[in-house]
Amino acid sequence: MTATPTLTRTLPKRRLTGLKPTGHLHLGNLLGAIRPVVDAQYQAETIVFLADLHALTVAHEPARVRELTLEQATMLLAAGLDPDRAMLYVQSQLPEHTELHFLLECATGVGEAQRMIQFREQSTAQQHVRLSLLTYPVLMTADILLHDAEEVPVGEDQSQHLELARDVATRFNARYGETFTVPRAVHPEVATRVMELSDPTSKMGKTTSSDAGTIFLLDPPDVIRRKVMRAVTDSGRTVVYDPQTRPGPANLLEILSACVDAPPEVLAAEYSSYSKLKRAVAEAVEGLLRPIQLRHAELTRDPGFVRRVLAEGAERARDNATDTVHRAKRAIGLLT
Ligand code: TRP
């Protein structure tokens, strides 16, 4: 008899990503969120959903939410998300999200929700604050716990919400018995944090005041080139990679690095001036986006296909979601 070798098998983790349809997708979304998810879809069990309910927590236009939801779904498919492998659906098409949301509100404190930095920032900036903006992180918690997600890739701005999700899951389990998987935040190693071209100290897409510093995934080549050529740099005469003191050139080098798959320090040495670097960046970004735009155009000609993918995604997601809601209802005292 031969001894069975001990295999350290890493089981695929269940990973969940939510995208909020409040704007057109840009290069920061692609390199920071979409591409890492697409790249990992064959290693991890992948669930991606369009958080259209979250888009209703601030002033919104109904038609725009609908359009952006479809646009973002189409873009995810165009960027390579494989609907036979990953689950892709629209949040509002799976009512279990809101059902679980209410149950979790019964395990969350008002103070806990009020302490969320994003709520505080957004609510002071608005005249009429929707109640749903306060409970937003609880809905996000429901999104995550519904699927027993183990890993949630998040940026800095969502890490406090993820802490809340962990707290609520842990508390619910302690109070009512083991019900939910406690999720954890992951930061994909290959994700690139893209900054505004017009203000390299703020994250791309955050400053809504101008579109000049944001490269949208559907921008035509001449617009991309113009935006890149106008990117803010500094008075330096040589190209060096130093994110701390030279954020403008560093951002360009990181974008180029993500497109051509070479380290930014190495790339810095290849360009003798900012204008040469910018030309290379513009070309690389155009090259990166061209196939995605072509595929997007193809998919747009057949909206029935995208809708079918989304409907099937919701159907596949339903099994596990129903099971989770049942578990939670039983634990909290609604079912026997
Ligand atoms: N709040 C997230 C954002 O603004 C979107 C989101 C909603 C989400 N539900 C989620 C992200 C669940 C991860 C998991 O980007």
Side-chain angles (χ1 to χ4, degrees):
M1 228 167 79
T2 48
T4 320
T6 347
L7 291 177
T8 34
R9 196 162 63 99
T10 31
L11 292 168
K13 290 271 191 281
R14 192 186 284 239
R15 258 194 206 182
L16 175 106
T17 302
L19 289 179
K20 195 170 50 172
T22 43
H24 297 293
L25 292 172
H26 51 72
L27 189 67
N29 299 129
L30 180 69
L31 298 178
I34 299 173
R35 204 164 74 166
V37 169
V38 169
D39 287 348
Q41 67 185 327
Y42 297 103
Q43 278 92 54
E45 200 184 322
T46 303
I47 304 168
V48 184
F49 69 96
L50 286 315
D52 58 347
L53 295 172
H54 280 90
L56 311 184
T57 58
V58 290
H60 76 284
E61 273 174 50
R64 188 169 151 83
V65 171
R66 261 193 299 272
E67 274 165 30
L68 288 172
T69 302
L70 195 63
E71 181 187 307
Q72 294 200 352
T74 308
M75 199 56 97
L76 283 159
L77 296 171
L81 195 75
D82 174 358
D84 290 328
R85 171 71 208 174
M87 228 185 260
L88 173 67
Y89 73 96
V90 177
Q91 184 185 33
S92 64
Q93 290 185 7
L94 195 64
E96 281 78 0
H97 282 268
T98 40
E99 208 176 352
L100 189 58
H101 177 200
F102 180 82
L103 301 182
L104 295 179
E105 278 191 359
C106 303
T108 311
V110 174
E112 245 175 337
Q114 282 170 334
R115 233 175 284 134
M116 294 293 115
I117 295 162
Q118 202 173 58
F119 171 73
R120 291 217 246 161
E121 284 175 358
Q122 290 195 11
S123 59
T124 46
Q126 290 168 30
Q127 275 226 304
H128 297 284
V129 180
R130 298 182 180 185
L131 180 56
S132 53
L133 188 67
L134 177 64
T135 59
Y136 177 118
V138 189
L139 179 58
M140 184 165 159
T141 300
D143 301 337
I144 298 167
L145 302 189
L146 190 63
H147 291 290
D148 290 305
E150 296 161 274
E151 299 186 341
V152 186
V154 284
E156 257 320 293
D157 59 331
Q158 297 299 313
S159 52
Q160 198 190 20
H161 292 164
L162 212 85
E163 273 310 307
L164 180 81
R166 290 169 57 82
D167 289 346
V168 172
T170 308
R171 180 180 310 137
F172 193 103
N173 287 347
R175 226 180 249 173
Y176 306 112
E178 244 359 88
T179 308
F180 298 119
T181 303
V182 181
R184 63 185 190 89
V186 291
H187 308 281
E189 326 72 78
V190 286
T192 306
R193 193 173 137 94
V194 182
M195 312 304 276
E196 284 286 309
L197 297 177
S198 50
D199 171 12
T201 58
S202 64
K203 203 170 143 186
M204 184 172 280
K206 282 281 179 267
T207 49
T208 42
S209 50
S210 106
D211 283 351
T214 306
I215 297 176
F216 294 101
L217 300 185
L218 291 176
D219 275 347
D222 57 316
V223 173
I224 296 174
R225 190 157 326 141
R226 193 168 61 236
K227 287 178 177 175
V228 174
M229 296 314 285
R230 288 188 191 158
V232 167
T233 48
D234 53 34
S235 55
R237 284 156 168 266
T238 52
V239 179
V240 252
Y241 178 64
D242 183 353
Q244 292 305 318
T245 61
R246 326 259 308 252
N251 187 36
L252 291 170
L253 287 163
E254 280 171 23
I255 293 172
L256 187 60
S257 160
C259 294
V260 302
D261 200 18
E265 299 83 357
V266 173
L267 292 168
E270 287 176 18
Y271 299 95
S272 57
S273 71
Y274 288 152
S275 67
K276 285 184 183 145
L277 170 65
K278 285 177 173 180
R279 264 198 292 276
V281 171
E283 220 167 89
V285 172
E286 282 169 47
L288 177 76
L289 297 187
R290 198 175 304 122
I292 299 176
Q293 294 185 348
L294 284 173
R295 178 98 181 101
H296 180 272
E298 250 171 57
L299 289 164
T300 307
R301 267 179 249 127
D302 186 6
F305 172 77
V306 180
R307 280 184 220 283
R308 259 194 320 279
V309 165
L310 294 172
E312 280 165 20
E315 206 44 62
R316 273 170 64 203
R318 185 156 292 131
D319 271 353
N320 198 49
T322 311
D323 185 62
T324 310
V325 170
H326 266 103
R327 246 169 27 228
K329 278 181 155 179
R330 222 177 295 123
I332 211 169
L334 298 176
L335 297 170
T336 50

